[in-house]
Every structure is written in C-alpha cells, then in structure tokens.
Amino acid sequence: MDEVFKALADPSRRALLDSLNVRNGQTLRELCAGLDMARQSVSKHLAVLEEAGLVTTVRRGREKLHYLNAAPVHEIAHRWISRYDQARVEALADLKLALEDAPMDAPTFVYTTYIRTTPQKLWQALTEPAFTRRYWATEFTTDWAAGSPMTWDNHGVPISDPEQVVLEAEPYSRLSYTWHAITPELAKRFGWDDEMLDRLAGEPRSKVTFTIEESGQVVKLTVVHDGFKPGSVLAEMVAHGWPNVVASLKSLLETGEPLPDDS
C-alpha cells in the first residue's frame, strides 16, 4: 500500500482524483483545462496515480481516457482496514465511498486490478461455472465462440434471451459479451419493485469487456462495462457491484477462497 498512500499524500494528485470524481473518463487536455497545472505536471501526477492503481486508462481511437479506479482502496477496506478502529480510518472510508460512488456521467465503467495468477487460470475463472458460481453466484452456458448465445444463471435465476451473446473471445487475453436481460424473475429475486423493473428493462443492452495482460508475476485485469444511457440505473448498480465481484475473484485465485458473501 506504500504507493497508494504516497500518491494520495500530494494535494495536486488529490485534485486530479477530485476532478475525475466529478466527471470520469477525461482526456489529458480536459484534466489540464480544469486545473491550474501545466500539462507536464498533470502528466507526471497521472503517472504516479496510474502506478499506484488509483487511475486507469482506456483508449478510444486517438484519445486516452482517464478513470478513477477503486481497486486499491477497496482492497484496503477488505484486507487491512478492519484491523484498526473505524474512527481512526474515517478519511479512508470516505475516500473509498467517493471513488466507488463516482457519478456515471461518462458512459463507461472501468475497473483495474492485479492478480497473482496466470492468464490461463484467470480465463478459467471468468468462463467456467466451477469458478464463477463461487465468487459471483453466476453461471454461463455457452461455447464461448464469438456470436454464440449465452444463457445466464444469476443467483439461481435462469435468463435466456437472443440478444445475450458472446461478442469477442480471445482465450487468455480478451473476453466480451452483452449483459443479461432484466426479467420479472430476476426482479423478484432481488426485491425490485415494478417501477425499478420497468426502468431497468427499458434501458439499452450494455456490454462488459475483460482485458487480460500478463505483467511479470501478476496478471492485470481490466473490466470495462459500457453501453449505458445517461442517468442509467444499471450503471450505478454495476459501479457498486463490480468492485465486490472482482475483489472476490482475486481472493479466490490468490487464496483459494472467495470473499464472504455479505448479501
């Protein structure tokens, strides 16, 4: 955690995080315009934040978009913060909430973490029911070929829909598929009322993409969930859900056990 605390210690870097908290997914030019800092200084601070894992980037054409990444602070909360009195770490708790509750004005959710595993094992964990049911309570029935249909079993609720398909499948490097349909059965499972069901079911179908990159003795996993409309309810839900799912996946691969289910 040394890099995380070092990165957060500088007020200029905290200002950059504040700017991304207000509007996620900014270019370097946009960040410079909103802060009284030279472009070179902003670039150096962003490099420190990226090295600490507090900021992650995604390329869209020629542009490089910067996103808050809650993974490091999320891991502090799960693995370290519980050793100390809550009052003494109130600032960290507030920061965790700020990072995870960032407004979803940008149409993309991005989350990056590093896992002590191999690309092959991570691919298994993303695709095989023996893994997915343990950290996600979800299973997929598909042959994982691009264009193939997918049947979800989400917390015991089977979901079939012709628009649930595999978009990309490059073993050990990249996986992408459309998100599941929102059904009355799923609403009943999670206790959503009719108004919530109608709002979720009326949103356009989103998609999730996993990028796997080997980095020394660890593997970098980047999750990009996009395709949301402005003000999307689902975008807010996945922004809260993905950090927990990915943290539990990381725990399963590194320790053999997922994180405890808080539901």
Side-chain angles (χ1 to χ4, degrees):
M1 295 291 102
D2 288 352
E3 292 83 0
V4 175
F5 290 114
K6 178 182 177 182
L8 293 173
D10 186 276
S12 295
R13 290 194 281 272
R14 293 198 299 271
L16 283 169
L17 293 176
D18 287 339
S19 178
L20 290 174
N21 189 44
V22 172
R23 186 167 65 85
N24 223 353
Q26 295 187 57
T27 63
L28 175 60
R29 176 178 54 80
E30 290 170 329
L31 286 167
C32 291
L35 298 170
D36 187 20
M37 279 190 277
R39 184 183 181 92
Q40 186 177 10
S41 297
V42 173
S43 295
K44 288 182 178 179
H45 286 309
L46 284 172
V48 175
L49 291 169
E50 285 190 64
E51 183 69 23
L54 290 164
V55 168
T56 189
T57 59
V58 172
R59 290 230 172 243
R60 286 291 185 268
R62 296 182 179 180
E63 293 186 324
K64 185 178 182 182
L65 306 181
H66 299 80
Y67 291 85
L68 282 173
N69 184 43
V73 179
H74 193 269
E75 290 170 15
I76 289 173
H78 273 293
R79 303 184 180 191
W80 196 62
I81 213 169
S82 59
R83 301 180 190 177
Y84 299 91
D85 181 72
Q86 183 63 32
R88 297 180 182 179
V89 291
E90 184 176 350
L92 280 175
D94 289 343
L95 176 62
K96 175 180 181 289
L97 289 174
L99 289 175
E100 293 186 355
D101 291 341
M104 294 300 294
D105 292 334
T108 300
F109 171 80
V110 181
Y111 191 90
T112 297
T113 192
Y114 293 83
I115 306 174
R116 291 192 301 274
T117 188
T118 65
Q120 293 78 11
K121 289 182 179 178
L122 180 51
W123 181 268
Q124 282 184 292
L126 292 173
T127 58
E128 295 185 7
F131 288 91
T132 58
R133 74 168 69 100
R134 294 191 65 193
Y135 67 85
W136 197 359
T138 298
E139 299 179 27
F140 307 105
T141 301
T142 182
D143 62 7
W144 295 112
S148 292
M150 299 178 66
T151 297
W152 289 54
D153 185 312
N154 189 340
H155 292 77
V157 179
I159 310 171
S160 296
D161 188 282
E163 294 185 11
Q164 292 174 187
V165 296
V166 179
L167 299 173
E168 299 177 66
E170 302 174 14
Y172 321 133
S173 63
R174 187 174 175 86
L175 178 66
S176 180
Y177 48 81
T178 57
W179 202 240
H180 62 75
I182 305 297
T183 66
E185 294 78 13
L186 199 64
K188 182 178 180 180
R189 166 63 178 80
F190 289 106
W192 302 331
D193 59 23
D194 291 342
E195 181 182 358
M196 176 66 79
L197 172 60
D198 290 342
R199 291 183 66 184
L200 289 170
E203 293 192 9
R205 190 174 297 274
S206 60
K207 73 176 188 297
V208 62
T209 301
F210 304 91
T211 302
I212 301 169
E213 302 172 80
E214 195 164 12
S215 180
Q217 296 182 349
V218 298
V219 175
K220 178 182 178 182
L221 173 65
T222 300
V223 181
V224 176
H225 198 148
D226 56 10
F228 304 112
K229 68 177 184 180
S232 166
V233 176
L234 180 61
E236 295 180 6
M237 294 172 70
V238 301
H240 287 82
W242 274 124
N244 292 321
V245 170
V246 176
S248 193
L249 163 64
K250 176 182 172 71
S251 177
L252 177 62
L253 288 172
E254 292 186 342
T255 71
E257 293 294 331
L259 295 177
D261 185 1
D262 296 327
S263 62

